[in-house]
Amino acid sequence: MTILVTGARGNVGRRVLERLHAAGHPLRASGRTPAELSVPAGVDTARLDLNGPDTFEAALRGVDKVFLYAESDGAKEFFAAAAEAGVRHVVLLSSSTVGGQDAASDPLAQHHAAVEDALLASALPGTVLRPGAFAGNAFGWSDAIRTGKPVELPYADAHTAPVHEDDIADVAVAALAGEAHLGRTLTLTGPESLTFREQLAVLGELLGREVPVRELTRDEAVERMGRFVPEPVLTSLLSQWAAAVGKPAGTTGTVQDLTGRPGRTFRQWAGENLGAFAAQD
Ligand SMILES: NC(=O)c1ccc[n+]([C@@H]2O[C@H](COP(=O)([O-])OP(=O)(O)OC[C@H]3O[C@@H](n4cnc5c(N)ncnc54)[C@H](OP(=O)(O)O)[C@@H]3O)[C@@H](O)[C@H]2O)c1
């Protein structure tokens, strides 16, 4: 009765792994380079490249549940191999963009939708998690804040409802626990809508100093972010943020429903991670 956790060193995957391990489940942690995985003692590891069908059979042997990252190339083959191995529940980490108004023209949404569709078309029982923006995206501001430079970003007044990665992991573990959530698609948000500027103000308040913000034009953002963000992802993000300026993000009760407690706030996330933003002596 082994649970396979893919992306076991990812922000969400490693949290899922920790929780399942603490609950005593037999586990297999996977990644493309298993030597780079840091797993609790006794946890089995496997090489799994979701784009590489030749790695599927060994990684899935003896597995009955899977926590899965969305990789569209190879998804159909992965679900076929999982069904063959006897898997009876897949919890897929997808994205709220799939349910967005612009999903049909959004490359990020299309990438996740392709995996959702492949899961649906397979014979496998599944639960789809569609989180919105992660609270941890704020780490992208840490270098500027730590060194006292203005945080430069486009669409500073765009709203998101940042969801704490611990809440995504808690929901994933609750979904994996039984059969109550089979066949469901769950959209996850944090408990409140905040603009990027408001998130930065929370960080500044906790740090006890002002965090200056310089708003970039779209062209400036394309020039800077395009150096490290793939073009389809950048296009998707900029369109989402442009549409979210001055428009509070909707929130869902998924975290409360599955865990029995409210979702963690961005302030809580910021407090837990303040060290990454504090100036170093
Ligand atoms: N950030 C957001 O605001 C947001 C919002 C909604 C949805 N999402 C979605 O959430 C996911 C990112 O989650 P995260 O932050 O936890 O990810 P992360 O920390 O960037 O880690 C990604 C994980 O995916 C694994 N992975 C990537 N390609 C793989 C492949 N071909 N085969 C096997 N494993 C592969 C990596 O494993 P190895 O490198 O060890 O192989 C890594 O552990 C993405 O699908 C993203 O679109 C993000």
Side-chain angles (χ1 to χ4, degrees):
M1 292 298 159
T2 298
I3 304 177
L4 171 65
V5 178
T6 73
R9 65 177 184 151
N11 293 314
V12 180
R14 69 185 154 79
R15 289 172 159 91
V16 171
L17 190 77
E18 283 162 13
R19 284 158 170 75
L20 293 172
H21 178 67
H25 292 283
L27 295 173
R28 182 171 302 146
S30 73
R32 286 166 294 182
T33 316
E36 288 176 7
L37 295 173
S38 160
V39 298
V43 171
D44 183 24
T45 60
R47 184 171 111 75
L48 172 64
D49 180 346
L50 292 165
N51 305 135
D54 57 319
T55 65
F56 296 171
E57 192 193 333
L60 284 161
R61 201 169 295 138
V63 166
D64 76 330
K65 296 186 184 185
V66 180
F67 172 76
L68 183 67
Y69 274 81
E71 279 297 317
S72 52
D73 289 346
K76 189 174 164 210
E77 292 82 357
F78 180 81
F79 294 132
E84 179 72 25
V87 169
R88 57 186 178 85
H89 193 170
V90 174
V91 172
L92 172 66
L93 179 63
S94 184
S95 162
S96 66
T97 55
V98 179
Q101 275 185 342
D102 301 320
S105 59
D106 177 343
L108 210 49
Q110 288 302 303
H111 171 80
H112 290 91
V115 186
E116 290 192 17
D117 291 347
L119 176 58
L120 202 62
S122 77
L124 285 169
T127 307
V128 175
L129 307 184
R130 289 182 177 171
F134 293 4
N137 294 346
F139 280 127
W141 302 325
S142 62
D143 282 351
I145 296 178
R146 210 175 39 244
T147 54
K149 296 186 185 132
V151 174
E152 299 185 320
L153 78 172
Y155 306 116
D157 297 307
H159 283 259
T160 65
V163 58
H164 196 306
E165 288 82 350
D166 280 341
D167 283 335
I168 305 173
D170 285 344
V171 166
V173 169
L176 283 163
E179 301 195 344
H181 307 294
L182 285 176
R184 297 185 70 193
T185 295
L186 303 166
T187 301
L188 286 75
T189 69
E192 60 183 344
S193 178
L194 292 170
T195 65
F196 294 135
R197 206 186 292 281
E198 287 167 340
Q199 292 177 42
L200 287 160
V202 169
L203 285 163
E205 204 185 304
L206 295 178
L207 288 165
R209 62 186 161 87
E210 196 197 337
V211 171
V213 178
R214 187 175 92 77
E215 186 153 359
L216 300 176
T217 64
R218 188 182 179 106
D219 286 348
E220 284 174 326
V222 167
E223 201 273 316
R224 296 206 191 173
M225 295 174 68
R227 292 178 207 153
F228 50 91
V229 180
E231 197 278 324
V233 177
L234 183 56
T235 303
S236 168
L237 290 175
L238 292 174
S239 303
Q240 284 172 42
W241 296 339
V245 170
K247 196 172 156 205
T251 59
T252 67
T254 304
V255 173
Q256 172 86 50
D257 292 347
L258 269 80
T259 68
R261 48 147 195 85
R264 296 164 171 92
T265 61
F266 180 76
R267 181 174 289 272
Q268 177 172 347
W269 182 92
E272 290 166 2
N273 293 284
L274 209 57
F277 299 88
Q280 276 150 13
D281 300 326

